[in-house]
Structures are given as C-alpha cells and as structure tokens.
C-alpha cells in the first residue's frame, strides 16, 4: 500500500510538471508569434514604396485634388477612400502613392525647423531700466510696439492703426539690439529673433519661403514680435544688373516687402529691424506702411554715459576715489559697448593686482586702453555720421514710394 501511494504521488508530481511545461511552451509560442508579426511588419515597411510629399492647392468639384508635388510639377490626383476629405484644405501637407499618385494620407501640420529655432522660448531678462540714456528712443519704441499690444482698444477709439514696424539705426554698439531685448521682456509677446543673413540660401526661392514661414509662425503665435537684426544683409538698394545670388537676395527682399504691407494684414504682429547702414537700404523698405517709425539710436551723451557706467558698476565693489561723473566726461564719443568694455577691463586690472575692489587708477588705465588703442571708424568718419543722422521730414518724404 505504501508503494502504491508513493507511485500515485510521483504520478501527480509528473502530471503537474507536464502541465507547467505546457504553459511555459504556450507562452514561448505566443512570444515567438508576436516577434514573427513584428518582423513581418518590418519586412513590409522595407518593401513598401516611398510616399511623395505634396501640398494641396485646391479641391475640384468632382472630388479630385490639385497638389504641388515635392518632385516639381502640379498634379491632379484622386483621393483614397480612407482619407478624411474635410482635412484637404489649401496648404495642407499630404502623402501621395508613388505609383498612382493617389492621396493616401494627410500629414500633420509642421514647421520648418530653421524657422522654429528662431523663436525665443525664454525672455532675455532685459528691461528699459537696464539701458542707460536713450529716453526718447524708449518712449517711441514703447508707443510703437508695446502699447498697441497692451492697449489695442485705445487705438481703435482714436480711429488710427498702430505702426506696423520700427527700424532702429545708428552706429554699432549704441544699444539697438538691447532695446529689442527689452521690448521682448516687457511686452509678454512671442519673440522671434532673426539675423537677416539667415534668409540667404543657396537654392532659388528658399529665402522667400523662409520669410513666409517666419511671418506664418508669427501670425499663429500672435501677439508676437519679429526682430530682424542686420537687415541690410538682404535689404540693400536693388540694381538692374548683378549675379544670380544678388537676384535671389532681391527676391527675398520683395517677399519681405509683401509680408510687411501686402494683402494679408499683420494684425498683432510687430516688426523691429536694426541696421548700422541705413544709407544703403532700399527706399521701398523705408516708406510708411512698412517701417512707420525710423528711430535713430545715437552714441550716448554725458548724461547717458553716466547712467551706463552706473548700470555696469552696480554690482562692482568700487573704491571711494572712483568718480563716475568724471569718467563720463572723459569718455566723449564712447558707445555703450565701449563703456562696458572699460568696466570689464578695470575689473580685470584689479584682479591682476590681487585686489577685491576697483580703484580710479584701474578705470583710468582701462579708459586709456579701450579709447586710445581701439580704432572706431564709425565714430571718426564724418561721412558715416552724416548718413546716420536723423532724417528730417522732407528727407523722409523723398524716400516714400
């Protein structure tokens, strides 16, 4: 009896082992089937022909669609039955079957990565309080850019349209870019920063396309501000003759002119541009309706230089003999960038001497090094100063076309 009981126990254990083994094999088979399906899908992806990207131009009454293919020509194509026809609006991106050129998918809306990178996600952290002098320029910039975004109803009550664009011009280092940064911080609007040379591309039409994309992004993110630095890179006066590259730059400029004052209104999109060479800009860019305000940013006067010295030295430990008013007087002709360099050089000289404070002697040596040993042709050339001086009403009227 004991032997028979032991045999029964062994049989039950063996049955339990077989059942467990069957479950393990079933689980392994299910995993292998999933892996097989995954490999089949990968093989299908490798064997499927590539799709062609296209942009919808219009939808015909018979249900067919006119698209502009990325390969070049415009095509009249059919639509697959699994595509939502309501999404086929002009400007939508679609995928075409390579063999029959049938629309098989509506692609999600996307942005050019080059244009998307131009949007500043963090505020520069600069306000008007961080800019010495330029009180008149701050007031005009506030009225032209910030006030229309903050209080649009005030302009509607007066029955006037706010300025579309502002052009900041003047010698280098006088605070044009700094003013734009302050506007970005104070306006709470989307800030899109562009260097004009980024519009210049190798292929025909690329520059104009990027200009369109920038303004399209600005309209979608409105209220927004577009800041175009060094605009003279694409806005020089147009000439009848030139290389193919110069003609492409002119096409980019014409697209910019159309965006600034074309059929589609800018709305809550403001444009700020900066240049050191207003004398070479195309007159069509300077007329009212495009850049309504031309703001001259001059080198700071003595009061402005004193304010700039105070701003750059507010966190600097100064010796009792430091006289900022005297430094402002002896730095005649210095720009804001020059004063910043003087303060930095004085700090380096104190550090070189092993001191944790800056003396008047350090500032005197810094002024000597920065002002006397650094040539500034824009401050010395009377021709440049004459071309950069603020234009009178009569002179501005000559440029209107």
């Amino acid at each position: 009896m004991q032997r028979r009981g032991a045999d029964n126990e062994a049989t039950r254990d063996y049955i339990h082992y077989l059942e467990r083994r069957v479950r393990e094999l079933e689980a392994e088979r299910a995993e292998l089937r999933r892996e097989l399906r995954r490999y089949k899908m990968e093989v299908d992806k490798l064997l499927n022909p590539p799709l062609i990207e296209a942009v919808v131009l219009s939808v015909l009454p018979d249900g067919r669609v006119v698209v502009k293919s990325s390969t070049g020509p415009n095509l009249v194509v059919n639509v697959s039955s699994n595509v939502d026809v309501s999404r086929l609006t002009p400007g939508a991106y679609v995928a075409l079957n390579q063999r029959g050129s049938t629309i098989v998918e509506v692609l999600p809306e996307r942005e050019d990565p080059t244009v998307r990178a131009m949007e500043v996600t963090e505020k520069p952290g600069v306000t008007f309080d961080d800019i010495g002098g330029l009180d008149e320029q701050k007031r005009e910039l506030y009225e032209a850019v910030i006030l229309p975004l903050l209080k649009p109803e005030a302009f509607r009550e007066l029955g006037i349209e706010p300025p579309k664009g502002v052009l900041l011009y003047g010698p280098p280092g006088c605070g044009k870019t700094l003013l734009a940064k302050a506007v970005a911080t104070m306006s709470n609007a989307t800030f899109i920063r562009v260097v004009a040379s980024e519009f210049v591309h190798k292929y025909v039409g690329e520059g104009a396309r990027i200009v369109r994309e920038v303004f399209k992004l600005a309209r979608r993110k409105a209220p927004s501000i577009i800041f175009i630095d060094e605009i003279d890179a694409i806005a020089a006066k147009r000439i009848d003759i030139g290389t193919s590259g110069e003609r492409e730059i002119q096409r980019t400029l014409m697209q910019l002119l159309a965006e600034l004052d074309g059929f589609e209104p800018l709305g809550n999109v403001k444009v700020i541009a900066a240049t050191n060479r207003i004398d070479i800009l195309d007159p069509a860019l300077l007329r009212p309706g495009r850049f309504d305000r031309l703001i001259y940013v001059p080198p700071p006067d003595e009061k402005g230089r004193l304010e700039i010295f105070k701003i750059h030295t507010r966190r600097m430990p100064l010796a009792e003999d430091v006289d900022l008013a005297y430094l402002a007087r002896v730095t005649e002709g210095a720009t804001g960038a020059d004063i910043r360099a003087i303060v930095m050089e004085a700090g380096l000289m104190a550090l070189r001497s092993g001191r944790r404070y800056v003396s008047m002697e350090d500032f005197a040596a810094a002024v000597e090094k920065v002002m006397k040993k650094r040539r500034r042709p824009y401050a010395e050339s009377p021709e440049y100063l004459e071309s950069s001086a603020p234009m009178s009403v009569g002179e501005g009227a000559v440029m209107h076309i």
Side-chain angles (χ1 to χ4, degrees), residues 244-298:
S244 58
E246 291 172 340
R247 288 193 293 271
E248 173 60 18
I249 292 176
Q250 291 178 10
R251 282 189 284 267
T252 304
L253 170 60
M254 287 184 280
Q255 182 64 43
L256 177 61
L257 296 177
E259 293 290 344
L260 288 171
D261 190 21
F263 287 103
E264 190 173 357
L266 285 178
N268 281 340
V269 178
K270 305 300 175 186
V271 182
I272 304 175
T275 181
N276 304 325
R277 296 295 308 275
I278 192 174
D279 55 308
I280 67 172
L281 294 186
D282 194 286
L285 194 69
L286 302 177
R287 72 162 175 82
R290 287 179 177 139
F291 285 111
D292 296 294
R293 280 207 171 173
L294 308 180
I295 301 178
Y296 176 60
V297 184

Side-chain angles (χ1 to χ4, degrees), residues 194-382:
V194 190
V195 179
S197 59
E198 296 180 30
F199 290 140
V200 182
H201 281 260
K202 177 180 178 181
Y203 300 103
V204 174
E206 275 295 292
R209 183 187 65 81
I210 292 180
V211 171
R212 287 194 302 271
E213 290 286 339
V214 167
F215 279 85
K216 180 180 177 183
L217 173 64
R219 288 186 177 95
R220 188 163 60 252
K221 296 283 187 176
S224 58
I225 298 171
I226 302 174
F227 174 55
I228 307 175
D229 203 2
E230 307 296 347
I231 194 172
D232 48 278
I234 62 167
K237 294 176 182 176
R238 287 169 284 183
I239 56 177
D240 294 334
I241 58 174
T243 64
S244 58
E246 291 172 340
R247 288 193 293 271
E248 173 60 18
I249 292 176
Q250 291 178 10
R251 282 189 284 267
T252 304
L253 170 60
M254 287 184 280
Q255 182 64 43
L256 177 61
L257 296 177
E259 293 290 344
L260 288 171
D261 190 21
F263 287 103
E264 190 173 357
L266 285 178
N268 281 340
V269 178
K270 305 300 175 186
V271 182
I272 304 175
T275 181
N276 304 325
R277 296 295 308 275
I278 192 174
D279 55 308
I280 67 172
L281 294 186
D282 194 286
L285 194 69
L286 302 177
R287 72 162 175 82
R290 287 179 177 139
F291 285 111
D292 296 294
R293 280 207 171 173
L294 308 180
I295 301 178
Y296 176 60
V297 184
D301 55 12
E302 183 176 334
K303 179 184 175 183
R305 293 194 298 273
L306 178 58
E307 292 180 7
I308 296 172
F309 268 114
K310 289 180 179 179
I311 290 171
H312 288 301
T313 58
R314 59 190 171 192
R315 288 188 294 269
M316 177 178 282
L318 302 177
E320 294 181 358
D321 62 340
V322 174
D323 187 353
L324 296 181
Y326 173 77
L327 291 174
R329 285 196 302 271
V330 300
T331 51
E332 180 70 30
T335 65
D338 293 330
I339 295 174
R340 181 176 180 274
I342 289 171
V343 174
M344 181 183 66
E345 191 66 36
L348 291 175
M349 289 180 178
L351 186 63
R352 193 179 305 138
S353 301
R355 285 181 278 106
R356 291 296 181 266
Y357 62 91
V358 185
S359 66
M360 191 66 178
E361 184 181 353
D362 297 324
F363 277 105
V367 170
E368 177 72 20
K369 183 174 183 179
V370 174
M371 298 295 292
K372 301 295 178 62
K373 296 184 178 180
R374 179 175 296 182
R375 182 174 178 268
R376 300 185 307 284
Y378 54 85
E380 301 167 1
S381 170

